[in-house]
């Protein structure tokens, strides 16, 4: 029996040393110490021993059990530590690995120019307003003195929503003049940027959707000189103090007189050619058209309940994309709308 106990102890300690997982340990515990375990089986044979042998064997069995229990606890702690170690190693974070770059965006180049223009006009005392893109023909055309049958009203130019051509996508920001004058008494200076829509095929200089910035100033004694002062001030702030402007007579139904404002081409300085070649920026014109403007037509003032005998005003409308293209030297309008980051990152 002594040998049996010694053998159990030796085998048990070796098996415990070999066990590598908590589950293997538990299995061994049951096998060695459980009710149906090996040690219990040996103890059951104690009855067969002589009275002198019994306490000796009993003591020995107890010390075997104690040794196994002690070893079991020790291995439990070791395995627990090993498992923890492995887990920590697996979850370890290498703080020296460079972090992932988060790509930060920035304001779209067109909005940069819009922001700049707004700031200039706010500095001149203008109020910035917003208005509907779905507009009534009466605001977009009729009350702006654009008569029935005018080419710009044609279905081939304008997106209409209904059969009797009364609701449309605004083709210009000029209806904001009417909307503003309906609700405000002069004097006022307003600026209305926004999207406009025309049935144009997209090419380097056309898009079915683009942006305009409308301006309107009405007060007593407003003259063409005020118009020129405001517009030249703005353009020189954007294109530089030395940029050269000209005003050229034009026709718009809602202004009288009307004009267009051009800037001398910054590439060829007005000559229309560079090294004997036609200038590609102004196409040989020497000038770049920037905006339409004029003195508000008395009929338009009357249409909004403002007395044209007492008040006068000027208005202007410019294409934001055109301004941005000139300011940032972009040669194709479609680049502005494509939103290709390789393009946008340049600004
Ligand atoms: N609305 C005109 C257009 O889209 C631009 C324009 C011209 C606006 C003269 C004005 C103006 O306010 O006075 O072509």
């Amino acid at each position: 029996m002594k040998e049996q106990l010694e053998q159990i102890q030796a085998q048990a300690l070796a098996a415990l040393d070999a066990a590598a997982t908590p589950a293997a340990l538990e299995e061994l515990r049951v096998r060695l110490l459980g009710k149906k375990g090996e040690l219990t089986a040996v103890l059951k044979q104690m009855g067969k021993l002589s009275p002198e042998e019994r306490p000796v064997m009993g003591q020995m069995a107890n010390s075997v059990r104690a040794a196994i229990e002690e070893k079991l606890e020790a291995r439990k702690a070791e395995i627990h530590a090993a498992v923890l170690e492995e887990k920590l190693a697996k979850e370890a974070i290498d703080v020296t690995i460079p972090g992932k770059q988060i790509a930060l965006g920035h304001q779209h180049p067109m909005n940069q120019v819009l922001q700049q223009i707004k700031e200039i006009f706010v500095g001149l005392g203008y109020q910035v307003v917003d208005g509907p893109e779905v507009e009534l023909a009466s605001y977009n055309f009729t009350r702006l003195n654009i008569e029935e049958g005018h080419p710009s009203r044609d279905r081939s130019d304008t997106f209409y929503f209904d059969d009797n051509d009364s609701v449309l996508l605004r083709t210009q920001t000029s209806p904001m003049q009417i909307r503003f004058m309906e609700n405000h008494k002069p004097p006022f200076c307003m600026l209305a940027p926004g999207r406009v829509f025309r049935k144009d095929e997209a090419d380097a200089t056309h898009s079915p959707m683009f942006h305009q910035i409308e301006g309107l100033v009405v007060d007593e004694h407003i003259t063409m000189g005020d118009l020129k002062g405001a517009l030249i001030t703005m353009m020189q702030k954007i294109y530089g103090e030395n940029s050269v402007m000209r005003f050229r007579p034009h026709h718009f139904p809602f202004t009288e007189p009307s004009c267009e404002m051009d800037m001398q081409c910054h590439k060829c300085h007005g000559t229309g050619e560079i090294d004997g070649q036609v200038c590609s920026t102004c196409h040989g014109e020497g000038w770049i058209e920037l905006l339409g403007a004029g003195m508000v037509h008395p009929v338009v003032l009357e249409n909004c309940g403002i007395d044209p005998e007492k008040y006068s005003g000027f208005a202007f409308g410019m294409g934001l994309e055109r301004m941005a293209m000139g300011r940032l030297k972009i040669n194709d309008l479609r680049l502005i709308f494509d939103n290709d980051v390789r393009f946008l990152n340049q600004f």
Side-chain angles (χ1 to χ4, degrees):
M1 193 171 199
K2 184 166 174 269
E3 293 79 48
Q4 241 181 326
L5 284 171
E6 278 168 0
Q7 200 189 349
I8 286 176
Q9 173 161 352
Q11 282 175 354
L13 297 189
L16 284 167
D17 265 333
T21 65
L25 271 190
E26 177 60 13
E27 204 187 297
L28 275 177
R29 189 187 64 77
V30 172
R31 203 181 87 200
L32 298 169
L33 307 175
K35 276 199 183 110
K36 292 178 181 160
E38 291 171 20
L39 197 58
T40 314
V42 174
L43 290 175
K44 276 182 187 155
Q45 296 167 24
M46 291 278 273
K48 293 180 191 161
L49 296 175
S50 64
E52 303 84 59
E53 278 181 317
R54 226 176 275 162
V56 181
M57 282 304 129
Q59 208 176 6
M60 190 172 170
N62 279 340
S63 86
V64 168
R65 168 177 278 274
I68 292 175
E69 279 174 348
E70 193 184 322
K71 184 75 180 172
L72 195 67
E73 284 311 309
R75 286 298 292 147
K76 228 188 230 175
E78 280 168 22
I79 289 174
H80 179 75
V83 167
L84 188 67
E85 184 101 338
E86 193 183 339
K87 196 171 170 222
L88 284 176
K90 245 193 240 163
E91 291 174 0
I93 297 169
D94 182 351
V95 292
T96 66
I97 292 177
K100 274 191 195 148
Q101 282 271 352
I102 297 175
L104 262 195
H106 61 75
Q107 201 173 32
H108 191 281
M110 206 181 55
N111 279 319
Q112 293 173 12
V113 175
L114 173 60
Q115 193 58 30
Q116 198 182 359
I117 295 173
K118 278 206 248 181
E119 274 166 24
I120 293 169
F121 279 106
V122 167
L124 292 172
Y126 285 60
Q127 174 185 351
V128 180
V129 295
D130 198 13
E133 293 170 351
V134 175
E135 187 53 282
L136 298 173
S138 61
Y139 287 85
N140 196 83
F141 296 125
T142 316
R143 294 173 72 181
L144 282 166
N145 201 31
I146 302 173
E147 76 270 23
E148 298 288 334
H150 189 278
S152 65
R153 289 185 177 240
D154 202 279
R155 298 200 130 236
S156 63
D157 288 336
T158 300
F159 294 102
Y160 286 101
F161 287 97
D162 57 343
D163 289 335
N164 45 4
D165 295 357
S166 61
V167 184
L168 45 78
L169 283 176
R170 66 178 176 191
T171 63
Q172 50 184 356
T173 44
S174 301
M176 284 307 292
Q177 294 187 27
I178 308 294
R179 289 193 174 272
F180 194 85
M181 285 192 278
E182 266 185 346
N183 296 314
H184 297 82
K185 291 274 153 258
F188 53 72
C189 307
M190 80 95 189
L191 194 75
R195 295 198 291 182
V196 301
F197 305 85
R198 292 182 196 175
K199 283 191 181 172
D200 279 330
E201 295 284 344
D203 64 21
T205 53
H206 293 86
S207 157
M209 186 282 293
F210 56 104
H211 296 75
Q212 284 189 335
I213 304 176
E214 193 79 14
L216 175 69
V217 172
V218 179
D219 197 353
E220 291 178 41
H221 314 302
I222 294 288
T223 70
M224 199 86 183
D226 298 308
L227 179 159
K228 290 175 77 175
L231 293 178
I232 290 173
T233 299
M234 178 214 34
M235 290 300 177
Q236 289 186 339
K237 283 215 158 98
I238 289 180
Y239 292 110
E241 290 293 321
N242 298 324
S243 45
V244 180
M245 307 294 161
R246 78 172 180 192
F247 290 85
R248 185 168 37 76
H250 200 74
H251 170 76
F252 295 105
F254 37 91
T255 43
E256 181 59 35
S258 303
C259 60
E260 281 191 334
M261 184 188 196
D262 302 334
M263 179 176 65
Q264 195 175 73
C265 180
H266 50 84
K267 249 316 195 7
C268 64
H269 303 287
T271 60
E273 56 181 59
I274 293 173
D275 301 335
Q277 304 274 4
V278 172
C279 174
S280 60
T281 302
C282 64
H283 306 293
E285 294 289 319
W287 296 90
I288 299 166
E289 181 194 315
L290 291 178
L291 54 76
M295 301 306 293
V296 182
H297 200 294
V299 167
V300 173
L301 292 175
E302 258 167 18
N303 285 344
C304 300
I306 294 174
D307 179 4
E309 295 298 326
K310 183 169 181 205
Y311 292 103
S312 56
F314 68 82
F316 58 87
M318 59 187 141
L320 176 57
E321 285 79 4
R322 179 173 288 245
M323 297 287 293
M325 286 168 78
R327 175 84 178 76
L328 305 173
K329 310 221 181 341
I330 300 166
N331 55 15
D332 192 318
L333 179 66
R334 287 164 293 193
L335 289 169
I336 293 183
F337 300 120
D338 279 350
N339 285 335
D340 185 328
V341 287
R342 290 169 302 179
F343 167 75
L344 297 176
N345 281 342
Q346 297 172 40
F347 304 100

